[in-house]
Amino acid sequence: DHTSMRICVRSIRRRGMAMLLDARSIPNGHTLTADLCIVGAGAAGITLAMELEATGMSIIMLEAGGKSRAGTSQELYQGRVNDPIRHLPLDQARYRQLGGTTSLWGGRCIPFDDLDFEARDWVAYSGWPITRSHLDQYYRRAHAYCECGPYDYHVGSALRGAPSEMLPLFKDGLVSTAKLERWSPPTQFGKTYRATLARSENVRVVLQAAALELTCSPAGNCVEQVQVAALQGGRFNVRSKLVLLAGGGLETTRLLFVSNRVHREGIGNQSGWLGRGYMSHIHGAIARIRMTSGREVMFGYETDPQGVFCRRHIAISEETQRRHGLLNHYMVLDRPLLGDPAHEDGVLSAAYLLKRLFGGRQQEELGTGKYALYWRHLKNILRGSPQALSILPKFGRGRLLQRRRVPSLLLGARSNEYYLYFQSEQIPNPDSRVTLDDARDAFGMPRLHLEFRVSSQDYDSVVRAHGLFDDELRRQGCGSLAYLGDDPREQVHEAKAVLGHHVGTTRMSELPSQGVVNADCRVHGVANLFVASSSVFPTSSHANPTLTIVALAIRLADHLKTVVSKG
């Protein structure tokens, strides 16, 4: 066994990847040992390894996919979804490879708001055992990993010299237009940090290594080893003093459920919350915004002094959320869907066909009849070819040839009318949940069944937020909303879950009876098991989860440094 391991390590060293191992070369029945085992090598796992590498601890990080592609292991993600119209299949919008789903990440970075961490009497099961101010120092450090510039999300300080008004004549109050979202290049963690991990003397990354089960002590208060397997390979174990689960919201939950030899309902499920409270964000467009002034709207992307792309967004103030009992919510001015040729815009049609030609991920599919659809797009291009020829080459260079790429194609509207894209928080509903299915994957592990629920409160909050914004525009005499259909309450029911935002299934709580992990992200009742994932979020905010995942991973790493130093 030891001879085989030495041969495996030597062969990888000759390729310049000293500590990247292939699980298929590990002998069947072998046991690897380390101080720390990290399950998952996405944003959270790689951040943890990078932060803890200098402690001198020996670290094994398990990645179920390969170095740069998922291959056949992607099929292990398949599962059942109750609502395939509103939620993507479980093997889409997440990825098995070094770097995890950051290989698919668009790069949007937004921190959660102060109110997101508070117990709100109009949001059942809300409240975090930590505050936003406590997390600020970790958000600041997360910016370095995500490469999204200074920790500053306010137009006045981040974009000095830029026009203060987003919307002509509109004054902030009940509604704010002075906040930003920032954009990572986007950072693909597997590519960006692979060389550093490979050079490490303390970190061993094991690729093609799927964690199948956590083996607990007879008393159930400690994880003794992780059972691992490789497709077209054998099975082996990892024994470590500490185990960190960083495999994403869904796979982390599945692993806790299947590890039920001692904890019959799954590790961490003494409260009954494991798998419950599943949230994403609902998003879409139910209205356009019409401005009365002919002055320029601050639409599209701006860059800060470091060259980071930023974009202004519209938010309902915390005071207004309290007064009206609203969920958190943000809006941006946007273009029509690329895939809908009804926009009659040659540039947008050309961009859509280029995405199809180069195999881009399709987030805006419109059903069947693709050749008729392509012909309609081609007619748009022929009608608008001079504009397309003037704009698309510049966009193509910014999108395809620059590491810090332009996030998307946005064109100003000559009519001063824009689509209003929204992204909204969901309530933590215990009936929105993941459970184990009867179907099994190639390793014999139960697949997941997702029961995705969108509540009437989720829908109602979106409609009321739009109504408040419309009222403010009209009151100030600077514009109005025009809904895309006769009844916005019917329209919002077509809203879908945002890609890859898997939140809430191992929720953080002060008391074991109210969640799965404590404020330090340690699983209640298990001394050496921690979770680094958006699954620990008790509520989802309006914000994309990646930046907060990285911030919590840094915070967890600092906690573990203290634990190790105390010995």
Side-chain angles (χ1 to χ4, degrees):
D1 285 359
H2 292 292
T3 301
S4 301
M5 281 296 294
R6 284 195 297 271
I7 293 171
C8 172
V9 171
R10 281 202 302 270
S11 66
I12 293 172
R13 279 180 174 151
R14 282 196 296 270
R15 297 196 296 270
M17 294 296 175
M19 300 305 281
L20 299 186
L21 313 179
D22 191 320
R24 292 169 295 190
S25 300
I26 296 175
N28 189 54
H30 191 76
T31 296
L32 302 177
T33 60
D35 295 320
L36 171 65
C37 177
I38 302 173
V39 179
I46 288 176
T47 299
L48 284 161
M50 297 277 287
E51 286 286 317
L52 294 169
E53 194 269 346
T55 64
M57 284 193 293
S58 58
I59 300 170
I60 290 176
M61 184 158 58
L62 304 174
E63 168 51 51
K67 184 172 67 176
S68 59
R69 61 188 180 89
T72 56
S73 69
Q74 186 69 12
E75 297 174 3
L76 299 171
Y77 274 157
Q78 292 176 359
R80 189 157 55 100
V81 179
N82 71 311
D83 190 350
I85 294 175
R86 288 180 177 81
H87 198 288
L88 281 178
L90 298 186
D91 59 343
Q92 295 184 26
R94 55 190 184 127
Y95 210 58
R96 285 180 180 243
Q97 71 168 67
L98 185 64
T101 304
T102 63
S103 62
L104 309 176
W105 183 35
R108 180 185 278 120
C109 293
I110 316 177
F112 282 23
D113 297 324
D114 291 345
L115 190 62
D116 294 322
F117 294 87
E118 297 178 12
R120 292 166 278 170
D121 57 15
W122 65 96
V123 180
Y125 309 110
S126 61
W128 294 50
I130 60 175
T131 64
R132 158 63 190 272
S133 61
H134 169 75
L135 207 56
D136 277 337
Q137 60 178 309
Y138 303 108
Y139 272 134
R140 190 168 287 106
R141 289 162 61 185
H143 270 229
Y145 282 99
C146 296
E147 303 176 289
C148 55
Y151 182 47
D152 187 347
Y153 287 84
H154 297 280
V155 170
S157 51
L159 302 177
R160 293 186 183 278
S164 58
E165 286 185 346
M166 176 184 181
L167 306 173
L169 307 179
F170 185 82
K171 303 301 180 186
D172 285 5
L174 301 181
V175 177
S176 167
T177 62
K179 292 184 176 181
L180 295 171
E181 58 187 28
R182 288 180 165 273
W183 290 81
S184 172
T187 303
Q188 296 185 16
F189 276 58
K191 289 183 178 179
T192 302
Y193 300 113
R194 183 171 66 205
T196 302
L197 293 170
R199 288 193 301 267
S200 172
E201 294 297 323
N202 300 329
V203 180
R204 286 175 287 172
V205 181
V206 186
L207 303 173
Q208 308 293 346
L212 303 187
E213 186 178 344
L214 307 175
T215 303
C216 281
S217 62
N221 59 355
C222 178
V223 172
E224 294 185 333
Q225 65 181 14
V226 182
Q227 297 180 29
V228 190
L231 290 170
Q232 294 88 47
R235 300 195 174 202
F236 59 97
N237 300 309
V238 177
R239 298 186 68 90
S240 63
K241 298 173 184 177
L242 299 171
V243 178
L244 276 61
L245 304 184
L250 297 178
E251 289 308 293
T252 292
T253 307
R254 178 160 74 141
L255 184 58
L256 290 171
F257 266 130
V258 300
S259 303
N260 56 10
R261 296 178 190 271
V262 177
H263 298 272
R264 305 305 298 174
E265 302 300 320
I267 297 175
N269 200 21
Q270 66 270 30
S271 64
W273 269 104
L274 181 63
R276 293 186 182 272
Y278 176 82
M279 297 163 281
S280 181
H281 299 101
I282 57 172
H283 73 139
I286 63 172
R288 294 189 298 272
I289 181 172
R290 294 172 173 167
M291 303 306 298
T292 55
S293 169
R295 290 166 51 189
E296 182 182 1
V297 170
M298 292 306 297
F299 169 73
Y301 300 104
E302 302 168 73
T303 54
D304 73 2
Q306 289 73 34
V308 174
F309 286 103
C310 302
R311 191 180 184 190
R312 307 186 192 208
H313 68 256
I314 298 158
I316 306 299
S317 72
E318 293 191 4
E319 178 187 349
T320 305
Q321 290 181 53
R322 293 182 195 278
R323 185 183 310 146
H324 294 275
L326 296 177
L327 301 176
N328 211 346
H329 184 101
Y330 86 93
M331 301 177 235
V332 292
L333 307 185
D334 211 343
R335 55 164 171 76
L337 292 177
L338 282 184
D340 185 356
H343 52 59
E344 298 185 342
D345 189 296
V347 176
L348 297 181
S349 286
Y352 172 75
L353 293 180
L354 284 171
K355 283 183 70 176
R356 298 293 308 213
L357 179 65
F358 288 103
R361 299 185 303 280
Q362 303 308 313
Q363 301 179 10
E364 306 181 20
E365 293 297 338
L366 295 173
T368 57
K370 65 178 181 180
Y371 294 111
L373 180 70
Y374 294 166
W375 174 240
R376 291 177 65 194
H377 280 294
L378 184 59
K379 288 194 291 186
N380 286 346
I381 295 169
L382 294 174
R383 282 196 296 265
S385 56
Q387 184 192 23
L389 289 173
S390 67
I391 292 174
L392 283 176
K394 181 179 179 182
F395 172 73
R397 288 193 298 272
R399 180 71 177 177
L400 302 175
L401 302 180
Q402 304 295 324
R403 181 175 182 271
R404 190 173 290 282
R405 69 188 192 192
V406 180
S408 64
L409 176 62
L410 296 176
L411 302 176
R414 289 186 292 271
S415 63
N416 228 15
E417 184 174 305
Y418 300 86
Y419 277 73
L420 192 63
Y421 170 91
F422 72 86
Q423 182 165 296
S424 183
E425 176 182 21
Q426 286 194 271
I427 62 168
N429 178 359
D431 293 328
S432 187
R433 61 185 301 199
V434 294
T435 56
L436 298 181
D437 199 16
D438 293 333
R440 295 184 176 259
D441 66 17
F443 291 121
M445 287 181 68
R447 296 189 183 275
L448 284 179
H449 172 210
L450 172 60
E451 186 74 19
F452 177 61
R453 303 283 184 92
V454 184
S455 73
S456 59
Q457 184 177 354
D458 298 337
Y459 288 132
D460 182 63
S461 184
V462 172
V463 174
R464 290 194 293 134
H466 280 72
L468 285 167
F469 184 35
D470 187 29
D471 289 344
E472 274 297 285
L473 289 167
R474 293 175 187 273
R475 185 182 67 81
Q476 297 188 34
C478 58
S480 62
L481 297 189
Y483 290 99
L484 303 181
D486 295 332
D487 186 353
R489 295 185 182 277
E490 288 186 7
Q491 283 180 275
V492 78
H493 280 264
E494 298 178 7
K496 295 178 172 61
V498 179
L499 308 177
H501 297 188
H502 307 135
V503 178
T505 50
T506 65
R507 66 191 333 258
M508 185 190 298
S509 65
E510 187 172 356
L511 299 176
S513 60
Q514 297 174 347
V516 178
V517 303
N518 69 9
D520 293 322
C521 295
R522 180 177 60 78
V523 174
H524 286 300
V526 185
N528 66 336
L529 180 61
F530 298 81
V531 176
S533 164
S534 56
S535 62
V536 307
F537 300 178
T539 50
S540 64
S541 178
H542 63 63
N544 292 36
T546 303
L547 182 67
T548 303
I549 291 171
V550 175
L552 285 175
I554 296 169
R555 177 177 175 270
L556 174 55
D558 277 6
H559 171 69
L560 293 176
K561 292 172 190 175
T562 302
V563 170
V564 171
S565 67
K566 290 179 180 178

